[in-house]
Every structure is written in C-alpha cells, then in structure tokens.
Amino acid sequence: MSRSVHILTHEFHPTTGGIGTYVEETAAAAAEAGLEVRVWAPGLDEGGYDPFPYQVNRVRMRGKQDWLCRFRMASALKKAFPEGRIPGTLLLAEPGPIRLWMYASFLGLPRSDRLMVIFHGSELLALSRHRRRRVRLRQLLLGTDCIGCVSGPVRKMALNLGPDISSRVALVPGAVRSAWTNLPAIPRENQPEPGILHVGRIHPRKGQLELVEAAGRLPDTWRQSVRIRLVGPVGHPRYLDQIQQRAAELSVRLSLEGRLPEAKLAEAYRTAAMLVLPSQPYRNSVEGLGLSLLEAQHFGCPVVGTRIGGIPEAMEEGKSGLIVSPSDPVALANAIKQLLEDPPSASTMGMNGSRFVRETFSWRKNIQRLGLA
C-alpha cells in the first residue's frame, strides 16, 4: 500500500488557531515517520513559501466552511486526480473537509485507499442537529478506517452516531508545538507583575467575559495589580465590546494583544502567573480539549479551567491546575485568588504540569494511534 498521506484542511498557516496548529503538527509528525505527506490547504496568494518538511498544495479559497470553499477544494482534487483515485491515505483533518466528504458521491470526488477523519468537538454537535446531515455523517463514518477524537467527551459524541464505529475510534489529543519541545519550564515565583493570560479567539465559548467578571471579584489589592492579557484574534466584535465595557465598570486592567508570533507567544506563557481558560457552553460549540492549556503547562505555567468538554483531560486537577464549574465567577475568582496568594504552590503546580504534558501528549503517539506509523 502507498505510504502517501493526503491531509485536507480549510484552516492552516498562516492562520494560527488551534486547528491550524493541530494540522501542521500532525503533518510534520507523519513526515518525520517516513510518510510522503501532502497537505491541501487554503491560499489565495500564489507562489508563497511554505516552510514545512512536506508538500503544501494551496487551493484558491478563503478557508471557510461554506460551499464555495468546499467546491474549490473538490475542484482542485478532481483536477489533480482525474483517474478518480487518491493513492494512499486521505485524512480529513477538520470540519471543512468532513463537510465536503459527506457529499463525496454526489460531487464525484476521488476515492482513496484509506480514509480517516479527525473530530475536534463542535462539528459533531453542529452536524448532528439535523437528521439528514446526521445520516450523511454516519454514512461517512461507516466508510472510514479510523476516526480520531481529540478527547474522551468528543469520542462520546462520535459514538452517539452508532456504537458500531467504536472499534475504529482513536484518541488523538493535541500536543505542544514541535518547535517548543525542548524549551525548559520556568518556575513562577517572584514575578514582578502577576499577569493572567488567556489564549484563544475572542468568542463567547472561550469565556473572556467570565474571566473579567471573576477578576472584578478579586480583593482590591489584587484587582489593581493584576493585568488580564487576552491573546488571540477577534471572532465576535460585539462580544469584545461587552468585555471592554465590563472591564471598565469593574476597574479590571485589560490588555488586548491579538495574534502573537510564535516566539512572543512562548514568552507570554513563560512570564504569566497563570493561564485561565474559563470555557462556557455556547450554542453548538464545545471545547474539545484546550491546546493553550497544554502549551502553558509545558512552560511551567499553572492553569485554571472549567469542567466542560475535554478540559479536565488537559490537566491534572489539583496537581497542575484548578478546575471550576462554568458560569460561576465566584468559584473562578477564588481559584485565581488561591494561585495568586500562594506563589510556591502555584509554582509547584506549574512544574507538575510541565512533567504531565511532556510525558502524556505527543504528535508521534497520535500518528501511531491513527495507524499511520
């Protein structure tokens, strides 16, 4: 059987979100394992340089999940494989190509020797809402060789489509970027300014507003000295307006930093007193795992998260961080206060988290669980 792997994605470099990172690192791990990797990804600019150890085929599309982008991906594949066959393994790495392949027969898409999908969480909720889409998704999964899920809760959602697919489901959580693998963890004691870091797009599911509410409930001495750093793109401008307005009302120090280059993001993880990811239930969106939690712990940063989705699997509760119920700003404020008032304990949690992440999560292990290496 061919050792080639074709990875389809609608989110990829230069986009720096969690799924984009996941796809980049999955492809790199497959290439390192000796597979011939080709990534099919969005790219409106032709002739750009892709600094990856594998081939990237840029498709002229915006990288959305709409039908226009799906049609353009389909057109590129049919043009590249006019005989109707993709040699080797086809990996549908995120929601966009999964939505496309649900209509593979209707669109006359080329077949592959092996078919794999990876679920990140929210797409399962969205695609299971309506009966027709649910039926199409189930039909797709019945024809797959492996179904990757980034956490136990995501796996449970996948199995709701039918227990007969359970033997093909593999847990493939995220891990730390390969460029950071050998960078050391840093103890959190004696920091000049105790900053609270949040990494993720500005979106109601990510819980930035709940973080501001919690910060407003801290004792005055902490509220006046602590700065909340929001790192990530703005997904919901109106939600950002709410966050800023509430921060002003509560006299919470807020810093909006947008997307950060990889080196600056690593520095943010190194210097933060803690990372807080207070994810919330929001429509058909769920926190599949929480890649920022893994990245923060890798650098020795203690973490606080909510008991939702895959977050409890991304840390060791009480050892590397604290977990509270969602939509409970008082409990969240108490968790933050606990770490601020006990730097030695927070530092110990951070170093525990670094050991936990380095020993537990690996892109190479994911490739093995998918049966690619």
Side-chain angles (χ1 to χ4, degrees):
M1 182 177 293
S2 172
R3 293 280 290 169
S4 63
V5 180
H6 297 265
I7 301 177
L8 271 55
T9 179
H10 288 199
E11 184 175 328
F12 194 71
H13 177 84
T15 300
T16 56
I19 287 180
T21 299
Y22 190 103
V23 175
E24 288 179 32
E25 295 293 347
T26 297
E32 186 179 351
L35 299 171
E36 181 184 339
V37 178
R38 182 183 298 184
V39 174
W40 299 78
L44 296 179
D45 298 323
E46 295 182 344
Y49 170 67
D50 284 310
F52 302 107
Y54 45 81
Q55 182 177 341
V56 179
N57 283 41
R58 293 291 182 174
V59 179
R60 290 188 62 80
M61 65 184 198
R62 297 173 299 161
K64 305 295 183 182
Q65 294 186 35
D66 57 20
W67 271 110
L68 178 59
C69 288
R70 281 183 258 176
F71 279 135
R72 289 188 172 178
M73 178 68 82
S75 177
L77 292 169
K78 288 195 285 187
K79 182 178 180 181
F81 304 102
E83 71 284 358
R85 176 180 171 271
I86 300 175
T89 299
L90 177 64
L91 174 59
L92 311 179
E94 51 88 24
I98 290 173
R99 288 175 178 269
L100 170 62
W101 233 257
M102 286 166 58
Y103 300 88
S105 297
F106 175 74
L107 295 172
L109 297 176
R111 297 178 178 273
S112 60
D113 297 333
R114 300 176 71 201
L115 179 63
M116 299 181 177
V117 302
I118 293 179
F119 287 122
H120 299 267
S122 296
E123 69 273 46
L124 278 167
L125 294 177
L127 295 174
S128 298
R129 287 182 61 198
H130 303 294
R131 188 182 67 83
R132 289 185 180 179
R133 283 191 297 188
R134 184 183 179 90
V135 169
R136 284 189 177 275
L137 180 59
R138 175 169 162 73
Q139 289 175 339
L140 170 63
L141 297 185
L142 288 173
T144 59
D145 295 274
C146 188
I147 302 163
C149 298
V150 300
S151 66
V154 175
R155 179 181 184 274
K156 184 177 181 181
M157 286 190 285
L159 291 178
N160 285 338
L161 294 167
D164 49 349
I165 65 173
S166 61
S167 62
R168 281 168 282 166
V169 174
L171 284 177
V172 286
V176 173
R177 304 162 201 244
S178 53
W180 294 348
T181 301
N182 296 320
L183 296 181
I186 298 175
R188 298 292 130 154
E189 297 185 52
N190 303 318
Q191 293 173 304
E193 181 184 69
I196 298 175
L197 184 64
H198 182 293
V199 177
R201 71 187 188 279
I202 306 297
H203 185 281
R205 191 244 287 174
K206 293 294 185 178
Q208 290 95 346
L209 184 59
E210 283 71 21
L211 176 54
V212 168
E213 291 285 354
R217 287 168 168 77
L218 294 174
D220 288 346
T221 52
W222 285 119
R223 184 165 46 81
Q224 292 168 7
S225 61
V226 168
R227 179 168 60 104
I228 296 177
R229 302 177 61 187
L230 301 185
V231 174
V234 178
H236 281 230
R238 291 185 180 179
Y239 181 59
L240 176 59
D241 292 340
Q242 289 180 277
I243 294 168
Q244 292 178 306
Q245 179 179 343
R246 192 59 178 146
E249 292 170 351
L250 296 173
S251 299
V252 170
R253 298 175 62 200
L254 190 65
S255 173
L256 301 173
E257 305 187 18
R259 296 182 188 272
L260 292 182
E262 192 172 274
K264 289 189 176 181
L265 180 57
E267 185 63 19
Y269 285 133
R270 287 191 190 99
T271 57
M274 69 188 76
L275 177 126
V276 181
L277 183 61
S279 295
Q280 305 294 310
Y282 181 77
R283 297 181 182 176
N284 290 307
S285 186
V286 65
E287 196 71 62
L289 183 70
L291 195 59
S292 64
L293 292 168
L294 304 186
E295 294 178 340
Q297 290 173 96
H298 177 81
F299 286 108
C301 182
V303 294
V304 178
T306 43
R307 198 176 303 281
I308 193 169
I311 285 180
E313 296 181 9
M315 67 172 82
E316 289 187 298
E317 184 176 1
K319 293 183 179 180
S320 67
L322 304 173
I323 300 179
V324 301
S325 298
S327 305
D328 189 344
V330 174
L332 183 59
N334 288 338
I336 293 171
K337 179 172 174 285
Q338 178 180 334
L339 294 181
L340 289 173
E341 292 186 341
D342 191 352
S345 177
S347 185
T348 298
M349 281 189 175
M351 300 308 286
N352 288 342
S354 181
R355 286 191 292 272
F356 167 65
V357 168
R358 292 167 192 259
E359 293 172 359
T360 307
F361 302 94
S362 161
W363 299 112
R364 181 58 185 264
K365 290 179 182 177
N366 284 359
I367 293 302
Q368 294 170 345
R369 290 166 183 163
L370 289 170
L372 292 174

